[in-house]
Amino acid sequence: MLENYLPVLIFIVVALLVGVVPLAMGFLLAPNKPDSEKLSPYECGFEAFEDARMKFDVRYYLVAILFILFDLEIAFLFPWAVVLDEIGMPGFLAMVVFLGILVIGFIYEWMKGALEWE
């Protein structure tokens, strides 16, 4: 029974080696000669004038979440389109309901002004 898992174990070991060996080789073989210029913060030739951990507007995150939501919608549409002949009318109606809910959510977000970038 356990011999069935041998290919999985080999795959995990090879994946770890492919990830760890190049990192270790780069760490061990790369030249390391730090100086003050190399270690200084660099921002387009100017000294940093602001903290790198500045706060972003909430709308940025809202747009990102909406992008992920509608991107996932497309991810559901492709497999559905492939098997549409096999699932027939019930599958078609289920996707119409799914798309209807997403359109209602999109209209709601649009009316609330979540898609306006100021």
Side-chain angles (χ1 to χ4, degrees):
M1 177 72 178
L2 289 177
E3 61 269 1
N4 293 337
Y5 291 105
L6 183 63
V8 175
L9 179 65
I10 292 172
F11 180 78
I12 290 172
V13 169
V14 169
L16 286 173
L17 288 175
V18 166
V20 171
V21 169
L23 286 173
M25 287 176 52
F27 182 73
L28 296 174
L29 300 176
N32 187 12
K33 298 177 184 175
D35 62 6
S36 63
E37 287 298 317
K38 287 183 181 178
L39 298 176
S40 67
Y42 178 77
E43 184 177 328
C44 300
F46 300 105
E47 290 295 321
F49 52 87
E50 209 173 304
D51 186 19
R53 292 172 188 85
M54 61 187 209
K55 294 182 180 179
F56 286 97
D57 189 14
V58 174
R59 291 187 186 271
Y60 175 79
Y61 298 108
L62 185 59
V63 169
I65 290 171
L66 288 173
F67 171 77
I68 291 171
L69 174 76
F70 291 110
D71 191 44
L72 287 176
E73 170 191 353
I74 298 300
F76 282 123
L77 280 176
F78 281 118
W80 170 80
V82 170
V83 296
L84 182 59
D85 290 339
E86 298 170 17
I87 58 177
M89 188 55 85
F92 178 75
L93 293 176
M95 187 54 73
V96 167
V97 169
F98 175 69
L99 291 175
I101 292 170
L102 283 175
V103 166
I104 290 170
F106 180 70
I107 292 171
Y108 174 78
E109 294 294 332
W110 191 356
M111 300 306 271
K112 287 290 187 177
L115 302 175
E116 295 175 10
W117 194 263
E118 297 169 358

